[in-house]
Amino acid sequence: MNGMFGQFRGTLFAALLALIFTIAAPSILEFFTIITLTQVIGLSILALSLALIWGYGGILCFGQTAFFGLGAYSYAIAAVNIGGSTGAMFIAVAVAAAFAAVLGYFAFYGKISDVYLAVITLTVSLIMYSLIRRTSGPEYKIGDALLGGFNGTGAPPLNVPGNAGAVLFPEHTFYVAMVALILLYVFCGWLVNTHFGRVCVSIRENEIRAELLGYDTRAYKLGIFTVGAAVAAIGGIFFCIGVTRVTPDVFSLGQASLTIIWVIVGGRGTLAGPVLAAFGLYYLTASLGTQQVVNTSLVLGIILIAFVLLAPRGVVPGIEKLATARRAGRRNRAKERRMRLRKPRGGISEDRHETG
Amino acid sequence: MRRGEVVLETRSLSMHFGGVRAVDRVDFQLWENELRCLIGPNGAGKSTFFKCLTGQLVPTIGDVVIRDIHVAGREPHEVAGLGVGIKTQVPNVFDGLTTRENIWLSCRRWHGARRTDALTSETIERLQLGEFRSRQVGSLSHGQRQWVELGMVVAAQPWLVLLDEPAAGMTHEETDRTAELIREINEDAAMIVVEHDMNFIRRISKKVTLFHEGRILMEGTMDAISKDRRARDVYLGHRA
């Protein structure tokens, strides 16, 4: 369909801009910023995963952090045990996706309604939070990896595939994370324009109608939910590599709500919006953290309320709407001008009313 | 009436809501290529009966058989997957998507990408929806949205079509076109149409089933039913 290809071209264009940023970043940004950016990229991939399943699949998963954290912990534990990062990444994604598939199976095939799904996923994330916090002590370990309870566990850095000794420099880790973000963004942009993706969008719009067209909506929801979990897990991997540790906070209520806020602020129904919101709000939080005048959480709260009240559709859809309105306005003005030229002199004033 | 085989049958179909028997032991048959209208006053059980056919409700007792397949208790997508086109009472469309995409999604369930594109364009032309092709369906009028939904039904090329109040809320002109379209659809498909509008039914139907208090009160042509005293009593709500 024409419209869809148009959208996908936009995705590719945004990906190209991100690629240019990636190449330029190390020469324009400070070294420390580059290191921090790897964490933020992890968070923005988490935002992307929720943008996919909530914005397009219509599934409000309040506990997307469950898969994010599961990915991070699985990576750290697997990497310590294997002694290399490449296999560990695959294991982490598989663990999170398998967990989501089981959880989603019971939720969607059990026909749990939207609100309950949000509550259940959040609860799952909080259960993991409590559970992992209680694992301090040498007896809690998986293979060689200590879980570390409250303090978390160390996340090994990335290494060149097949050579565990060749650890990547922070700039290179940044490149890998950024390329992963770009590829995942393009992948999600492609996915939502496939037949599968369009059916998911149609389920968001009207689940009964999709069912009456003969689509097994449970299977589609489970599918996109699982893909979303896998994406979130990749986010978790890069986040913990960026921080060099993974702590129970990845499962926390604060992180879970922040993920929702990114999507609301960035705009539901876009992929780039929540990703940019994750970057923007991280930057804002970080710069607010350096001063003592106002409380950071307070500012975040005000921003959320302002968005819900003033721009409920989020930043990116708001800009898109403005742009189309301006374009339409320009078109109308041009049309009017043509009309005016064509009109015979005598009847201008009356005729203008009719055509306008 | 052409009498091929029975394509849809219910066997003592009952739907109870607590103590209320919305549908009560209904035996119903629809023949190949038939166009049947279901009528009856409000609360007669037509819509509940309809929802049992489409899998939206699981009947308390009894069975629904579509071409020798037992469908009572199956999911709506399984019923639709048999090649049954369904339109519900309220316009059930994808409001946030364009007209074209609504129809495309219906077609794509059955056909490959290329065939779908062709069929989608064909359907849009046939239903004269070209003007709204790229408009979001949510921004269309009630009647236009009904038409988009009819388009979705037609585009899937079903062999059995179930329509719940297809002409509800339409203007006079739209109702005319809908009657025309229903006759066209009926050339290739058996149909059940639930309707309130007597004039509309008179124009499309050959045989009518009258529901009353969850049961089939009578079946026959519209003329026969409108002359019948029991039928008139049911509609006027008194026993003269």
Side-chain angles (χ1 to χ4, degrees), chain B residues 23-43:
Chain B
V23 174
D24 194 13
R25 282 166 289 167
V26 169
D27 294 308
F28 174 91
Q29 278 146 0
L30 182 78
W31 301 82
E32 209 169 14
N33 288 102
E34 195 184 342
L35 195 170
R36 182 81 65 93
C37 287
L38 306 186
I39 62 167
N42 281 326

Side-chain angles (χ1 to χ4, degrees), chain A residues 39-56:
Chain A
Q39 294 172 35
V40 192
I41 291 164
L43 294 172
S44 71
I45 293 175
L46 171 61
L48 178 70
S49 75
L50 191 65
L52 177 71
I53 71 161
W54 187 24
Y56 287 86

Side-chain angles (χ1 to χ4, degrees), chain B residues 89 91 142-143 146 164-170 195:
Chain B
Q89 197 170 352
H142 180 83
Q146 294 265 52
D164 197 352
E165 301 200 18
M170 284 190 171
E195 235 335 310

Side-chain angles (χ1 to χ4, degrees), chain B residues 1 8 16 31 97 101 116 160 182 190 206 210:
Chain B
M1 193 187 309
L8 182 148
H16 302 172
W31 301 82
L97 307 181
E101 205 169 355
T116 297
L160 173 63
I182 287 176
K206 291 147 197 148
L210 174 62

Side-chain angles (χ1 to χ4, degrees), chain A residues 6-321:
Chain A
Q7 269 171 23
F8 191 54
R9 252 203 308 265
T11 305
L12 290 179
F13 181 66
L16 188 71
L17 288 183
L19 199 64
I20 293 168
F21 169 75
T22 311
I23 296 163
S27 47
I28 51 171
L29 295 172
E30 286 170 43
F31 183 66
F32 179 72
T33 314
I34 293 291
I35 294 175
T36 320
L37 265 176
T38 306
Q39 294 172 35
V40 192
I41 291 164
L43 294 172
S44 71
I45 293 175
L46 171 61
L48 178 70
S49 75
L50 191 65
L52 177 71
I53 71 161
W54 187 24
Y56 287 86
I59 302 165
L60 173 51
C61 175
F62 209 132
Q64 193 68 2
T65 43
F67 315 120
F68 176 74
L70 205 55
Y73 267 99
S74 306
Y75 166 78
I77 292 163
V80 168
N81 282 300
I82 298 172
S85 61
T86 316
M89 293 178 99
F90 286 101
I91 290 171
V93 173
V95 167
F99 180 74
V102 173
L103 182 68
Y105 174 79
F106 287 109
F108 299 126
Y109 282 75
K111 299 218 163 155
I112 285 171
S113 72
D114 300 349
V115 180
Y116 287 103
L117 188 90
V119 174
I120 287 170
T121 49
L122 177 62
T123 311
V124 166
S125 190
L126 295 182
I127 288 172
M128 288 180 171
Y129 177 67
S130 307
L131 212 63
I132 205 84
R133 270 170 67 105
R134 281 175 178 72
T135 57
S136 33
E139 67 273 28
Y140 291 105
K141 57 180 195 173
I142 298 174
D144 299 329
L146 275 175
L147 292 177
F150 186 74
N151 295 317
T153 185
L158 281 181
N159 57 262
V160 176
N163 183 358
V167 172
L168 295 190
F169 288 116
E171 302 99 306
H172 298 150
T173 307
F174 164 77
Y175 283 140
V176 175
M178 203 59 204
V179 167
L181 170 63
I182 293 169
L183 288 179
L184 286 171
Y185 171 68
V186 171
F187 166 75
C188 290
W190 167 81
L191 187 71
V192 298
N193 284 319
T194 59
H195 180 210
F196 171 82
R198 296 327 287 172
V199 174
C200 290
V201 170
S202 79
I203 294 170
R204 175 194 75 189
E205 290 293 316
N206 188 337
E207 182 162 0
I208 294 174
R209 190 12 103 193
E211 257 177 79
L212 292 176
L213 289 184
Y215 292 112
D216 186 353
T217 56
R218 303 166 301 181
Y220 281 90
K221 281 160 99 173
L222 181 59
I224 198 157
F225 186 68
T226 308
V227 171
V231 174
I234 298 173
I237 295 168
F238 284 108
F239 179 74
C240 73
I241 290 171
V243 184
T244 69
R245 282 197 85 69
V246 46
T247 66
D249 283 340
V250 287
F251 295 116
S252 67
L253 178 62
Q255 186 58 60
S257 349
L258 199 53
T259 314
I260 299 279
I261 293 175
W262 292 331
V263 178
I264 291 174
V265 170
R268 215 145 64 88
T270 75
L271 293 170
V275 171
L276 293 173
F279 276 101
L281 288 183
Y282 186 92
Y283 176 75
L284 187 72
T285 318
S287 39
L288 284 174
T290 58
Q291 51 82 48
Q292 304 288 321
V293 187
V294 282
N295 181 290
T296 310
S297 305
L298 185 73
V299 174
L300 278 182
I302 291 170
I303 289 177
L304 177 67
I305 292 170
F307 266 96
V308 170
L309 292 178
L310 302 174
R313 290 164 48 125
V315 176
V316 171
I319 294 172
E320 273 172 5
K321 204 177 161 190

